[in-house]
Amino acid sequence: MTINAFSHNIPEKTFAKLNREGEFTRLAVSPGIINKHYTPAQFQTIAEVVGARGAIKYSASYSILLSIPTIELTTAKRKLEKVGLYIAKQGQIVAMKACDFCDGDKMEAAQITEELYQQLEGLEVPSRICINMNGCASACYNAVYDDIGLVYQKDSFDVYLGAVPMGKHAQAGELFMKKVSVQHIENLLQEIIRVYQERAYQKEPFYKFYKRTKDADFWQTIKCYENSSADSSRV
């Protein structure tokens, strides 16, 4: 039966439609970077802050998009955060997402994920970058299809760069480095972000920057430096 599957294909309250009638702000909320499970209290609060005027939309980026009257934004944020919801930062910044670590059964990379979030989330860049952390080699949350993909296995990361996430030219990122140790992954990411900040054109997406520059000497310098640092730490 398709009674509900195809009965309402065109939404009545899109973000664009709402803003023709008033001023609305969109928030992307989730239970957290790793946790993907909402509580009934969180859904109740989402319904309360959106109310009859706003709208709720499912997002492909592991979050729910809320369209809220801008005049009510401060109160709405306070209520959402009070029930433990994470509100994603917006703008031309480094953003981070992750898999659910097999619903918490494979948490080996959880600590370094939190440390990377604390150090990197919100850094200003020419165009928004998404770092996608996946906690095992299955990479079922498609880390290789984001700007910087991290796939964890055995105390190290495989690092993928330059994915084209959508469009007719969509493709996975290229393997940039294998087996980067937990101890050195932050330094590597800081260097990747630094060269993007310093050398990209204004608003140049990361995949275009990487495609334009991937044969440049500075990428090889980063690889050589990280490899030599990793080797010296094993001595």
Side-chain angles (χ1 to χ4, degrees), residues 38-117:
Y38 291 84
T39 68
Q42 287 171 340
F43 273 124
Q44 288 172 347
T45 302
I46 287 172
E48 177 187 340
V49 301
V50 171
R53 295 178 59 197
I56 303 171
K57 179 182 179 180
Y58 172 73
S59 166
S61 61
Y62 322 153
S63 60
I64 293 177
L65 302 178
L66 311 181
S67 296
I68 297 171
T70 302
I71 194 171
E72 301 171 10
L73 190 59
T74 300
T75 300
K77 284 184 174 180
R78 184 170 62 249
K79 290 180 178 179
L80 293 166
E81 290 173 341
K82 187 176 180 180
V83 293
L85 288 166
Y86 165 69
I87 303 173
K89 300 178 179 70
Q90 301 300 312
Q92 294 175 202
I93 60 168
V94 175
M96 194 163 180
K97 61 182 181 180
C99 69
D100 61 9
F101 290 6
C102 296
D103 272 343
D105 287 337
K106 296 181 179 180
M107 295 294 286
E108 293 89 344
Q111 181 177 348
I112 185 61
T113 300
E114 184 172 351
E115 291 172 2
L116 293 175
Y117 172 84

Side-chain angles (χ1 to χ4, degrees), residues 88-96 120-130 147 193 196-197 200-206:
K89 300 178 179 70
Q90 301 300 312
Q92 294 175 202
I93 60 168
V94 175
M96 194 163 180
L120 304 177
E121 175 89 355
L123 293 177
E124 293 185 0
V125 284
S127 184
R128 189 177 181 88
I129 283 184
C130 184
D147 297 304
I193 292 167
Y196 179 53
Q197 289 171 324
Y201 303 139
Q202 186 177 13
K203 296 185 178 181
E204 182 178 24
F206 184 80

Side-chain angles (χ1 to χ4, degrees), residues 25 27 36 40 51 58 70 86 106 110 115-116 121-122 145 160 168 172 175 183 186 188 204-206 214 230 233:
T25 297
L27 300 179
K36 303 294 186 287
Y58 172 73
T70 302
Y86 165 69
K106 296 181 179 180
E115 291 172 2
L116 293 175
E121 175 89 355
Y145 278 93
Y160 295 80
K168 65 180 181 180
L175 180 61
Q183 292 78 9
E186 182 184 328
L188 174 65
E204 182 178 24
F206 184 80
K214 66 180 181 180
S233 68

Side-chain angles (χ1 to χ4, degrees), residues 1-14 17 56-57:
M1 296 180 66
T2 61
I3 292 175
N4 293 320
F6 292 97
S7 58
H8 298 289
N9 291 327
I10 301 175
E12 296 176 358
K13 291 185 176 182
T14 66
K17 289 177 181 177
I56 303 171
K57 179 182 179 180

Side-chain angles (χ1 to χ4, degrees), residues 17-33:
K17 289 177 181 177
L18 288 171
N19 273 288
R20 294 191 196 110
E21 302 170 0
E23 186 177 352
F24 284 78
T25 297
R26 175 174 280 177
L27 300 179
V29 302
S30 68
I33 299 296

